[in-house]
Amino acid sequence: MSVERVHRMSHAVDAAAPAGVLYNVVADTAPWPLFLPDTVHVERLDSTGTTDRFSQWADTDGRPRPTLWRRTLDAHRRRIDFRRERPADPVTTQGGSWSVEELAPGWSRLTLEQDITVAGNRSADVERVLASARDGARSVLGRLGAVAERWRRLDGLLLSFEDSVRIPGPGEPVHEFLYRVGSWPGRVAHVVGAEVTEVSAGVQRTSMVNLADDGSAYTTEEVRVCFPAAGRIVFKRTRPHPLLAAHAGEWSVEPDATGVTVVCRHDVLLDAGAVERMLGPGADPARAGRHVREVLGRESRATLEPAQQYARESVRSLRPV
């Protein structure tokens, strides 16, 4: 019986950011869909403050799927140890650590150490797995380092908000309407075209043609992961509104004793370089944030209204004659 070899690798990036800022960018996984292009959704499963466990939906090969991770966080040492649960074949174990070192005031180094074992130690499998891990490490390090370097203005570029509607009656028809995004043209006012591909059960890729205030059309593309039992659909726009660098969010149908509340949440990262180009000279992130809030809020409400109507019609059609 061959003994599986442990393959180790180390990558690092230096960033013009304080060590505490760089550590927090790694420690807080909630905004990762806005920071990492391949990350569609992160779901925290449990947390004690020094340990956590989360599911990360990543779109690395055109088929978004979740990976499970558990971590031990040491803020004092600025170190995070991690381990992947149930890795996909041919990987048998995968783990490592993140560590942050202060180089000088305002300069820090982020290091990612990884250890991986591959079933059978077959050369082709090992080369493919290590190449993927290497490429992923370099990409993630570069992205997180760049985010940390924008720490002084990052709060002004990040925005979260939600819109909701109360609907008396069951939640199933509401979730059905939200799921069947291909039927939105002609029902949702700003949507004039939609193409949907079911990548796998509950995972969709969509392309929608939307109308702006001035009547011009723009296209958005997104990945959606649907959790029908929980009444949730999370999404990541891979081609967001022109004012945004990144856009993620969630539709949720929350039941109570007499009906449901349908909520649409948006998490966005403004594209600082697009603000004046889109809104004119002198426009700042605050104005861009208000504009995006208005546009996306209007689009959410325009979707919630026909969802409400669809639910009412579904309830009436089920009533006995």
Side-chain angles (χ1 to χ4, degrees), residues 2-281:
S2 62
V3 177
E4 291 176 349
R5 177 186 171 190
V6 179
H7 302 273
R8 303 183 187 278
M9 60 182 69
S10 177
H11 297 86
V13 67
D14 294 348
V21 169
L22 194 52
Y23 173 83
N24 287 334
V25 168
V26 179
D28 184 7
T29 58
W32 280 11
L34 299 180
F35 299 158
L36 304 177
D38 291 341
T39 297
V40 175
H41 176 62
V42 174
E43 184 94 5
R44 175 174 284 181
L45 304 176
D46 54 62
S47 175
T48 66
T50 56
T51 64
D52 70 2
R53 185 169 173 265
F54 64 90
S55 175
Q56 180 181 8
W57 286 80
D59 183 15
T60 55
D61 58 1
R63 297 181 63 85
R65 56 176 62 87
T67 53
L68 290 172
W69 303 89
R70 64 178 185 275
R71 306 189 302 174
T72 301
L73 298 90
D74 187 336
H76 178 70
R77 296 171 58 208
R78 300 193 188 101
R79 178 184 173 94
I80 301 171
D81 295 310
F82 63 86
R83 185 64 50 184
R84 181 175 173 180
E85 298 183 5
R86 300 191 297 276
D89 292 337
V91 177
T92 52
T93 66
Q94 182 177 3
S97 67
W98 297 90
S99 60
V100 179
E101 173 190 2
E102 184 177 23
L103 302 177
W107 277 92
S108 308
R109 175 170 296 158
L110 175 62
T111 301
L112 172 58
E113 305 273 356
Q114 295 186 84
D115 59 81
I116 300 173
T117 61
V118 179
N121 294 317
R122 289 179 291 273
S123 296
D125 288 342
V126 170
E127 290 176 7
R128 176 171 55 83
V129 168
L130 296 188
S132 177
R134 187 163 47 246
D135 292 345
R138 290 170 177 165
S139 175
V140 170
L141 282 166
R143 293 285 180 173
L144 295 183
V147 167
E149 288 186 334
R150 290 183 289 171
W151 66 279
R152 285 188 177 88
R153 54 185 181 140
L154 192 59
D155 285 347
L157 298 175
L158 290 169
L159 191 66
S160 294
F161 52 88
E162 63 182 37
D163 293 280
S164 64
V165 65
R166 180 76 172 74
I167 301 177
E172 288 80 2
V174 181
H175 187 275
E176 180 186 0
F177 180 86
L178 297 174
Y179 182 84
R180 295 177 56 196
V181 65
S183 70
W184 288 7
R187 290 179 165 181
V188 178
H190 64 277
V191 179
V192 295
E195 296 181 4
V196 184
T197 301
E198 196 87 6
V199 179
S200 58
V203 180
Q204 301 172 326
R205 286 189 181 279
T206 72
S207 176
M208 286 192 290
V209 180
N210 309 272
L211 289 181
D213 291 345
D214 60 3
S216 62
Y218 67 94
T219 301
T220 57
E221 297 174 357
E222 69 182 39
V223 177
R224 308 195 332 155
V225 182
C226 308
F227 305 95
R232 301 172 60 212
I233 298 174
V234 299
F235 63 86
K236 164 77 173 281
R237 286 197 174 173
T238 54
R239 184 178 177 183
H241 185 280
L243 259 175
L244 300 178
H247 181 185
E250 177 178 341
W251 295 94
S252 60
V253 181
E254 303 169 1
D256 56 40
T258 59
V260 295
T261 299
V262 189
V263 181
C264 182
R265 192 192 77 244
H266 296 277
D267 303 314
V268 303
L269 175 63
L270 296 172
D271 182 352
V275 172
E276 290 197 7
R277 185 176 71 249
M278 294 291 299
L279 300 181

Side-chain angles (χ1 to χ4, degrees), residues 292-312:
V292 167
R293 173 67 179 97
E294 179 183 347
V295 169
L296 296 183
R298 183 170 60 249
E299 291 182 356
S300 297
R301 292 187 295 274
T303 306
L304 291 169
E305 290 171 5
Q308 187 177 32
Q309 181 63 29
Y310 182 81
R312 288 172 178 163

